[in-house]
Structure formats: C-alpha cells, structure tokens
Amino acid sequence: MSEHTPKPTIAPARPKSPAAPETAPGGPGGPDDSGLPRVSFIPTDAECRRLWDAHGMLPNIRAHSELVACVATALAEMAVRAGLAANVAEVRAAALLHDLAKTYTINHGGNHCQLGAAWVQELTGNPALAQGVLCHVSWPHPIDLRADFLPLTLIYSDKRVKHNQIVPLESRFDDLLVRYGTTDYIRTRIRESFQQAEAIERALAETLGMDIHESTFGCGRLVE
C-alpha cells in the first residue's frame, strides 16, 4: 500500500507529553548518572490516553487500540512466565500508541506507521516504542521472539483485532482484503503480511506452550 508522509509544515501543533518533562534529573527525560539523557521512558495508560486526546484520536481507533493492548499485555505476561525477557509495560504502551497517527493520516494522508513512530520517539524518547509503532504492520527481519519480542507481538496482536473484536487471523485478513485490496500489488502485500502473522503465531504458540489461534487472552471479547 502506497502512502505519502505529510509535509512537516502541515503537521498539527503537538504539546509536549505531560509525562515527559524536559527537566527532573534522574526522571523521565532527565539525565541519568552518566549525564546522558534517558531513553527508557514508558508512558502509563493514563499518559497514553492523554496523547490520544492531544492528537484527536477517533473513538473507534481508541477502542481498537485498547483491545490490541489487552492482547499484547496478555502475551507479554505469558512470555515472562515462559522465561523471555519481555517488558510488559513497554509492550502495553507500544500497543496503546501504535495507531497514534491514524486519525491524522485518515484526514490528511501519509503513512501512519512512520508518522506515529516519529511522534512517539519525540514524545517519549523511547526507541523501542517507536520501533514497535513503525513496524506494527510488517517486520523486515527474521522472526526471533527473544530478540524482537515487542514489535513481533505488536504485529500479531494488531492482526488479531478487527475493529473492536478479537478474531482469528483469517477473519482479520479477509477484512483487510475487502477494504484495501484494490490492486494486485496491494492484495499480494496483504497475503504476505498474513503469512508473516501466521509465522509469528506459530512462534508464539511454540514459545508459550499453548494454542493461541482462537484464544481471547482474557480480554472480554469472543472470537468470531
């Protein structure tokens, strides 16, 4: 799918994240003991929702993001129990912020992954969150959960949520083909993305030791 990044001159004015002060030594955004800026700020749920407000996120995108975050959080918690070094709070924040730029690009055009990643990096200074947002549609590297748990889990969680309902991968991609499959190229890319999501699902199932194909992850929605 071809998208064009919006010109910086028309980007909306963005207030600084209320949770990312420029001062406060030793705190988010402040220097650590080495004197270097911290890059590990992880916004809370409330802070993520304030960023939604600041960027005018549409209600349906908020509902989708909440459910994606629920799935991603459940997977991260399972991964920790399985012995992976997953940062649950970081995975959850990335999921809540993965569509931060979606409303803007609906209205003005552009690539919501690229623009959202730039905003998240600017607002949090956290490259792991920005990478998750940038790569939540597809992953350009081999699938290695131990090395890249956050972006891979975010891709999978996003592909298990159609609007505000948890669905199997097949249902989510059927919907994507109907809504966006306007050319042979786009349909091919969607099918490639489906194959990658299936591979991530297999890797997660093997690592977690459970069948997750139709799991609702305790998120209060039924699979279609």
Side-chain angles (χ1 to χ4, degrees):
M1 285 169 274
S2 177
E3 299 181 74
H4 303 286
T5 305
K7 295 180 180 179
T9 54
I10 62 172
R14 299 188 300 280
K16 290 187 180 294
S17 167
E22 292 183 281
T23 57
D32 59 18
D33 293 340
S34 69
L36 297 173
R38 289 181 181 270
V39 293
S40 58
F41 170 56
I42 303 171
T44 65
D45 286 16
E47 290 159 351
C48 288
R49 292 181 185 114
R50 285 202 290 273
L51 293 179
W52 293 355
D53 293 340
H55 293 78
M57 186 183 284
L58 293 168
N60 62 309
I61 299 174
R62 294 176 187 237
H64 169 79
S65 299
E66 292 275 10
L67 197 50
V68 171
C70 184
V71 173
T73 301
L75 288 169
E77 290 171 346
M78 294 176 197
V80 170
R81 292 195 290 270
L84 271 68
N87 186 323
V88 177
E90 201 163 56
V91 170
R92 182 172 181 83
L96 286 170
L97 296 175
H98 79 281
D99 274 347
L100 185 64
K102 187 76 169 180
T103 302
Y104 180 91
T105 58
I106 287 172
N107 292 326
H108 303 287
N111 185 308
H112 79 287
C113 299
Q114 294 175 2
L115 184 58
W119 287 357
V120 168
Q121 178 63 38
E122 176 187 347
L123 291 161
T124 71
N126 189 321
L129 297 184
Q131 182 192 49
V133 175
L134 178 64
C135 298
H136 78 265
V137 171
S138 65
W139 182 243
H141 307 296
I143 294 172
D144 183 344
L145 286 176
R146 294 189 179 276
D148 302 303
F149 182 84
L150 187 155
L152 293 174
T153 299
L154 183 51
I155 288 171
Y156 179 71
S157 300
D158 185 41
K159 300 306 182 292
R160 284 297 306 274
V161 178
K162 183 175 75 174
H163 308 306
N164 64 345
Q165 185 175 22
I166 298 175
V167 298
L169 291 175
E170 295 86 350
S171 178
R172 176 76 155 103
F173 279 91
D174 285 347
D175 178 63
L176 292 175
L177 281 169
V178 169
R179 288 196 290 151
Y180 301 114
T182 55
T183 67
D184 287 341
Y185 172 77
I186 292 173
R187 287 190 290 272
T188 298
R189 292 297 303 273
I190 290 174
R191 293 188 183 100
E192 289 172 349
S193 182
F194 172 64
Q195 292 169 356
Q196 184 176 76
E198 282 190 313
I200 296 171
E201 182 174 73
R202 289 193 296 270
L204 283 167
E206 180 178 343
T207 300
L208 302 178
M210 61 176 291
D211 181 6
I212 62 172
H213 181 65
E214 293 190 353
S215 175
T216 60
F217 307 98
C219 294
R221 303 291 196 280
L222 295 177
V223 174
E224 276 187 348

